Amino acid sequence: MPGINRAKTWVLIAALLGLFLVIGRLIGGPTGMTIALILGLGFNFAMYWYSGSIAVRTTHSHPVSEQEHPELYRIVRELVAADHLPMPEIYVSDMLQPNAFATGRNPEHAKVAVTQGILQILGERELRAVLAHELSHVANHDILIASIAAGIGTSISYLAQFALFFGGGDDEGGNPLFLLLAWLVAPIAAAVIQMAVSRSREFQADESGAYLSHDPMALARALTKLEQTAKQVPPPRSVSPAEAHLFIVNPLAGVRGGGVSRLFSTHPATEERIQRLTAIARDLGQGSAVG
């Protein structure tokens, strides 16, 4: 399935852009579209540029040396060498919840962090698989992709608010009922597509990381442990929903909902992730036992 998730991501972003253009033409007119796009992209460009520093601060992460965590450095060095990536900065978070994340605007400015909790419950193979997943986010430029999706999504929200308070760009857009409906529906539709982009990137990182580590079932076992514990051990209050997509499992998971709630989930269902990893294991001629 190489490239399928990548293509799906860009189809979703194209849909998000198409939604922006349609909503913009109907309710904002050219002026509203321009203002919304500038505001949305400007805000999210700043988030893209500073996301690494923000994530490190809110998760109470601190840089660690090779002397402090030699095994962590050894695993990361092996993986970046195999994937021809620059060595990222390595952080350990004080979070007791087992989790991990990668951030940074490009591979040359990447940060990879693991929590104290994850170091306590994962074995070496599982930790290696998790780090391969996170480094795949770096290699796939997922922070940039997420920022593009967020920029367009935020622009749609700004556009809807602009139209509601200042009127539409033409006769159809000037209808108050239409403007109210657009104000309510457009941001929801944008959020649904944006979350679909996030889930697609998680699938892609699972796939890329599984092939990088050559150990997809280790990642499957790690995901099972991490999700179970994430529902029991809360993250710091400083971790916001806007940062949930950075982590390998949703740090704010709680009790998973079904139906509509999954449309707004930043992560795919763990069961589906494990099914895909099992298929990769079969493709590699490996066993498919999670336990």
Side-chain angles (χ1 to χ4, degrees), residues 56 141 157 252 264:
V56 163
H141 297 272
S157 297
L252 307 171
F264 297 95

Side-chain angles (χ1 to χ4, degrees), residues 50-198:
Y50 296 109
S51 62
S53 300
I54 294 171
V56 163
R57 184 169 61 253
T58 59
T59 56
H60 307 297
S61 300
H62 52 88
V64 293
S65 68
E66 190 164 4
Q67 289 70 32
E68 293 174 291
H69 287 275
E71 180 181 345
L72 196 55
Y73 267 81
R74 175 181 59 80
I75 294 172
V76 173
R77 285 189 193 280
E78 292 173 355
L79 291 171
V80 297
D83 211 21
H84 308 289
L85 290 171
M87 186 70 180
E89 297 178 33
I90 298 179
Y91 286 74
V92 172
S93 165
D94 294 336
M95 285 174 56
L96 295 179
Q97 182 189 91
N99 224 317
F101 67 89
T103 187
R105 61 184 183 272
N106 54 42
E108 289 72 29
H109 296 86
K111 296 176 173 65
V112 174
V114 295
T115 68
Q116 289 286 358
I118 206 173
L119 295 175
Q120 295 172 9
I121 72 167
L122 295 190
E124 181 178 339
R125 283 178 58 187
E126 295 165 345
L127 181 60
R128 180 185 178 88
V130 166
L131 289 168
H133 170 102
E134 295 305 329
L135 289 168
S136 292
H137 277 307
V138 174
N140 295 337
H141 297 272
D142 283 341
I143 300 302
L144 173 61
I145 293 171
S147 296
I148 292 172
I152 301 172
T154 304
S155 297
I156 291 173
S157 297
Y158 282 143
L159 182 62
Q161 294 178 34
F162 175 88
L164 181 67
F165 291 106
F166 297 102
D170 52 34
D171 292 340
E172 184 180 2
N175 186 306
L177 291 178
F178 178 83
L179 293 179
L180 180 60
L181 181 64
W183 179 64
L184 293 172
V185 173
I188 294 174
V192 169
I193 298 175
Q194 192 178 330
M195 293 304 99
V197 170
S198 177

Side-chain angles (χ1 to χ4, degrees), residues 192 199 256-265:
V192 169
R199 293 191 295 273
R256 181 183 297 280
V260 175
S261 66
R262 294 199 177 191
L263 293 174
F264 297 95
S265 174

